[in-house]
Amino acid sequence: MKLLFKKCTSSDLNALVKISKTTFVEAFEKDNDPEDFQNYVNKAFEETNIEQQLQNRDSSFYFAFKGEQLVGYLKLNENTAQTDIKLKESVELERIYVLKEFQGNQIGEHILKEAINLASQRQKSFIWLGVWQKNVGAIRFYEKHGFVKFGTHPYFIGNDEQTDWLMRYDLINFQES
């Protein structure tokens, strides 16, 4: 499968807000308190918030297209934009999402590979991410692709404190295939 990746710019703001909200709601709404969840979504994916992230030189969003169809996206953070680690030799994969209707077609695998390629091109030592401990399918996906757990951190959905596993993939011996 061939996906086309496009780095997002301010002209992509509306589409980015839409896919961000849509994919997050599809993935997590059913597993969270409705009020906490709605408050979180309204704040986290508010247009000015996403616009500020787009303008941060240490954060980058990429759309994934299958043909002309937008199917998913990813977000990478470097340096002080990283939520936890903040090391020069690391990059955080903060978001990787595929629209529900395109899941099950290995698109997530291709997006993850692109994130790893981008981190490697930036000459980072490792890429890391946080994944909800109850998201067993995602944890299996990352483990299958060589990520290992190295810690945990709290993640809040409204007032609900949840636990994310911190997982990393070492890029030292990575070669683009």
Side-chain angles (χ1 to χ4, degrees):
M1 168 186 310
K2 182 78 170 151
L3 293 181
L4 172 68
F5 292 92
K6 176 192 176 291
K7 186 173 183 180
C8 298
T9 66
S10 57
S11 66
D12 299 309
L13 180 60
N14 291 336
L16 183 57
V17 168
K18 183 178 178 182
I19 195 171
S20 297
K21 280 184 182 178
T22 300
T23 54
F24 193 82
V25 168
E26 288 173 348
F28 300 113
E29 182 176 41
K30 66 187 178 313
D31 298 318
N32 285 279
D33 173 79
E35 185 176 342
D36 277 338
F37 188 79
Q38 194 58 53
N39 289 336
Y40 175 84
V41 168
N42 289 342
K43 182 178 178 184
F45 303 110
E46 197 270 326
E47 190 172 293
T48 57
N49 187 13
I50 300 293
E51 185 174 32
Q52 288 174 348
Q53 293 172 52
L54 266 173
Q55 292 174 1
N56 184 334
R57 65 184 177 99
D58 287 332
S59 292
S60 49
F61 291 87
Y62 294 84
F63 283 150
F65 292 92
K66 184 177 179 189
E68 299 290 317
Q69 183 70 48
L70 177 60
V71 296
Y73 79 106
L74 67 97
K75 180 185 181 200
L76 298 176
N77 293 322
E78 297 179 71
N79 304 315
T80 59
Q82 296 178 86
T83 58
D84 278 357
I85 308 300
K86 300 183 193 301
L87 297 173
K88 285 186 179 281
E89 64 266 19
S90 68
V91 64
E92 175 188 18
L93 175 55
E94 183 181 357
R95 296 188 191 149
I96 177 172
Y97 288 98
V98 176
L99 288 163
K100 190 174 185 173
E101 63 264 32
F102 298 102
Q103 291 177 2
N105 296 304
Q106 298 183 323
I107 290 171
E109 185 174 325
H110 290 282
I111 294 174
L112 180 60
K113 187 174 181 179
E114 179 68 9
I116 291 169
N117 285 337
L118 289 165
S120 182
Q121 289 169 11
R122 294 171 187 182
Q123 300 181 327
K124 301 299 182 178
S125 297
F126 66 96
I127 186 170
W128 69 275
L129 55 85
V131 59
W132 189 24
Q133 70 179 1
K134 293 183 180 181
N135 193 347
V136 177
I139 290 170
R140 275 196 308 264
F141 171 79
Y142 294 122
E143 288 175 335
K144 175 183 167 188
H145 290 92
F147 282 77
V148 294
K149 179 182 176 187
F150 69 93
T152 63
H153 73 178
Y155 189 86
F156 287 86
I157 298 289
N159 295 316
D160 182 21
E161 182 177 350
Q162 301 177 357
T163 301
D164 274 2
W165 282 18
L166 299 179
M167 301 183 78
R168 70 183 273 163
Y169 178 92
D170 291 321
L171 297 164
I172 305 296
N173 297 317
F174 176 77
Q175 293 181 357
E176 188 175 341
S177 53

